[in-house]
Amino acid sequence: MAAAAGFTAYNDLAWGTGQLETNITKFTSPNGGSGLPATGLLKDFATGLDTGVTMTVAGGQFVAGANDLQGADPTTGDALTIFDGKVSGKGVLTYIDDVNNSLVLTFSGLNPGKTYNLTFYAHRNNNGWDRASLVTLSGQDGFTNTSSVATDNPDTGTYPGGVLFTGPTSASTRLPADNDNGYVAQFSGIDPGSDGTVLLTISFDGSVGEQYKGKYGSAVRLIESSGSAGQDLNGDGKADLVFRNTNGNAAVWLLNGTAAPLSTVSLGGVSPDWEVAGVGDTDADGNADIIWRNIATGAVAVWLMNGGTRISAGFPGTASTAWSIQGVGDLNGDGKADLVFRHTNGSAAVWLLNGTAAPSSTGSLGVVTSAYQISGVGDTDADGNADIIWRNTTNGEVAVWLMNGVSRISVGFPGTASTAWTIQGVGDLDGDGKADLVFRHTNGSASVWLLNGTAAPSSTGSLGVVSSVWQMRQVGDTDADGNADIIWRNIASGAVAVWLMNGVTRTSVGFPGTASTAWEIQP
């Protein structure tokens, strides 16, 4: 069996007996007689199923019983967050003594309609920058460099400012051989192009005289974007914003983390009978689309988008206005965003969308008591299918329906919180492929639950108190680092703020811009 669309896969480049091996692969150099394969299908870490993506290792050298005893597990930094408990950081794939012999990791069978996050880690635990490696991405049609940021790189002439890479457009990242800080080379929002193949080349970039001794590799992670493109309108791996003015005009901000938007674009005026019902990739082209609902007739419309450009519009169908759209997400893992409806009588239903065409399938999910309200849609168990998250407005209980298309396959209750807390956002805050919850208290406090399907949250954390003038508007990955972020709006000034997140930790805050309060951020 193959894994569902959207996965996280880990490979240990220098595996040794007794090291971690659950649902990971162990492809390594064909040189050195390790007895391990140099190529094969990657596994989905969540399920152990084949992903359909093949990884092939060329160059380098790995001798089992020797190289796997070098290095050390990460104890801090990005490498700890990404690899700890999944792949052992101990063990180092090295180079044959040839200055021109690079290590090359080839990933083939990538889906041209999806985007990917590729992370590489190396730690020999010795030799510092004198045996540094240069990690270079190639073969892609688009990407963003989101590698670890550091200030201790000594080669400030080649790498201005002492950073590991020169910026988000840099195809290369420099890593030291002694990597106690847990630096990783990471490329996000990778568009593999029509051939579905990208390469990661690790070459020597250290001191003269050391070129025959260095260049290392320990582990790699590949994440395929799960389901639809979320709020990413231009396919760069970053969530964007759709605004609507009180006069009916619509507009787009293409976000770039906490920096000013890459672009702001007007989409023109739309009749007030039409309201934005959600944003999601309905045709699996990697760009999120805008979904509209006519509040007078019940008609559903889809604008197929490419960044700030509407390339097509269509009308998948009509439903009675007693049905309201309450969630958008890829419920069947085909890469296309779907719709979750709720009727005034408590019934729930699903439309599996197919771009602007009629739904590929529709299904009833039965009647649910009015005490339970739909709070969001997101893949809580990393199986590639978005799930439906409910909240009991009477007792504060959270419920999760694990979904497979129009079928509810399981129900669970991760926990309960006081009804003074409301769920205001759903998104994968820690990059484990599982949607998480962001809560807001009536006193202004914000907090996070890191979900694990229907089980109790793997972690919870407080984010502090925020003035009531700031309202939470969206949860999405604004900087393509694999972690969803929290987007706020100041209802008095119109300012937009972004909290860059890493699980339950707010890592940075920035203010991309301000818009008149006549413009409201849409769902």
Side-chain angles (χ1 to χ4, degrees):
M1 292 181 64
F7 62 79
T8 298
Y10 290 87
N11 185 82
D12 191 335
L13 289 166
W15 181 84
T17 302
Q19 294 180 3
L20 297 168
E21 56 182 326
T22 302
N23 289 355
I24 67 170
T25 49
K26 299 173 281 188
F27 307 128
T28 191
S29 171
N31 305 307
S34 69
L36 298 172
T39 186
L41 291 169
L42 294 173
K43 292 180 180 180
D44 182 0
F45 184 74
T47 65
L49 299 176
D50 289 337
T51 63
V53 174
T54 297
M55 176 180 169
T56 301
V57 185
Q61 176 175 269
F62 179 69
V63 180
N67 293 106
D68 53 291
L69 302 177
Q70 297 182 354
D73 283 313
T75 58
T76 188
D78 294 322
L80 179 66
T81 301
I82 293 169
F83 293 103
D84 185 52
K86 292 94 170 175
V87 177
S88 174
K90 191 172 184 179
V92 179
L93 191 158
T94 62
Y95 288 71
I96 298 173
D97 289 342
D98 179 353
V99 69
N100 296 313
N101 180 34
S102 296
L103 172 65
V104 181
L105 311 181
T106 300
F107 300 86
S108 56
L110 302 171
N111 187 337
K114 297 291 184 71
T115 57
Y116 294 83
N117 174 296
L118 183 54
T119 308
F120 174 88
Y121 170 65
H123 182 27
R124 185 175 185 268
N125 206 25
N126 202 353
N127 299 107
W129 293 102
D130 59 340
R131 297 187 189 177
S133 295
L134 194 67
V135 184
T136 302
L137 181 72
S138 62
Q140 75 286 348
D141 282 4
F143 74 99
T144 302
N145 191 326
T146 53
S147 300
S148 303
V149 175
T151 57
D152 66 342
N153 187 333
D155 191 354
T156 56
T158 304
Y159 301 87
V163 295
L164 299 179
F165 60 104
T166 56
T169 62
S170 175
S172 296
T173 298
R174 195 175 189 229
L175 294 180
D178 194 359
N179 192 0
D180 286 337
N181 289 314
Y183 300 140
V184 299
Q186 182 167 238
F187 303 94
S188 302
I190 297 172
D191 177 356
S194 60
D195 65 354
T197 300
V198 298
L199 284 75
L200 206 63
T201 301
I202 300 89
S203 54
F204 182 75
D205 199 31
S207 305
V208 174
E210 297 291 326
Q211 58 264 42
Y212 299 103
K213 305 174 184 176
K215 314 166 227 175
Y216 303 98
S218 297
V220 66
R221 180 188 72 176
L222 179 71
I223 298 177
E224 179 182 85
S225 58
S226 59
S228 62
Q231 306 101 333
D232 178 15
L233 293 158
N234 62 338
D236 66 352
K238 303 173 185 176
D240 304 308
L241 298 181
V242 177
F243 287 82
R244 188 83 186 277
N245 194 294
T246 51
N247 65 12
N249 288 338
V252 166
W253 281 16
L254 301 181
L255 292 182
N256 184 26
T258 58
L262 297 171
S263 178
T264 61
V265 184
S266 172
L267 301 175
V270 181
S271 162
D273 283 347
W274 289 96
E275 295 183 347
V276 176
V279 177
D281 183 7
T282 65
D283 59 349
D285 69 346
N287 299 323
D289 309 306
I290 304 176
I291 301 161
W292 298 80
R293 185 79 189 286
N294 190 303
I295 58 175
T297 67
V300 175
V302 171
W303 284 8
L304 299 182
M305 302 295 295
N306 183 3
T309 303
R310 181 183 64 201
I311 58 175
S312 177
F315 302 89
T318 298
S320 160
T321 54
W323 291 95
S324 60
I325 297 173
Q326 299 204 350
V328 176
D330 180 13
L331 294 159
N332 63 337
D334 66 351
K336 301 174 184 177
D338 307 308
L339 302 181
V340 178
F341 288 82
R342 187 86 186 276
H343 195 278
T344 52
N345 67 8
S347 298
V350 169
W351 283 14
L352 301 183
L353 291 183
N354 184 25
T356 58
S360 58
S361 180
T362 62
S364 171
L365 301 175
V367 179
V368 181
T369 173
S370 60
Y372 277 96
Q373 298 296 312
I374 294 174
S375 291
V377 174
D379 183 5
T380 65
D381 59 348
D383 69 346
N385 301 324
D387 308 308
I388 303 176
I389 300 160
W390 299 79
R391 185 79 189 286
N392 188 309
T393 58
T394 302
N395 64 18
E397 186 174 56
V398 175
V400 172
W401 285 9
L402 299 183
M403 300 296 297
N404 184 6
V406 298
S407 300
R408 181 184 63 204
I409 59 175
S410 179
V411 177
F413 303 90
T416 298
S418 160
T419 55
W421 291 96
T422 58
I423 298 172
Q424 300 204 347
V426 176
D428 180 13
L429 294 158
D430 61 345
D432 66 351
K434 301 174 185 177
D436 307 308
L437 302 181
V438 181
F439 288 81
R440 187 87 186 275
H441 195 277
T442 52
N443 67 7
S445 298
S447 66
V448 169
W449 283 14
L450 300 184
L451 291 183
N452 184 25
T454 58
S458 60
S459 180
T460 63
S462 172
L463 301 176
V465 178
V466 181
S467 165
S468 60
V469 77
W470 288 98
Q471 299 294 307
M472 208 177 290
R473 287 293 181 258
Q474 188 169 295
V475 174
D477 184 3
T478 66
D479 60 347
D481 68 346
N483 300 325
D485 309 308
I486 304 175
I487 300 167
W488 300 80
R489 186 78 189 284
N490 188 307
I491 58 175
S493 69
V496 175
V498 171
W499 284 8
L500 299 183
M501 300 296 297
N502 184 3
V504 299
T505 303
R506 180 183 62 203
T507 60
S508 179
V509 177
F511 302 88
T514 298
S516 160
T517 54
W519 290 96
E520 180 56 67
I521 297 172
Q522 301 297 291

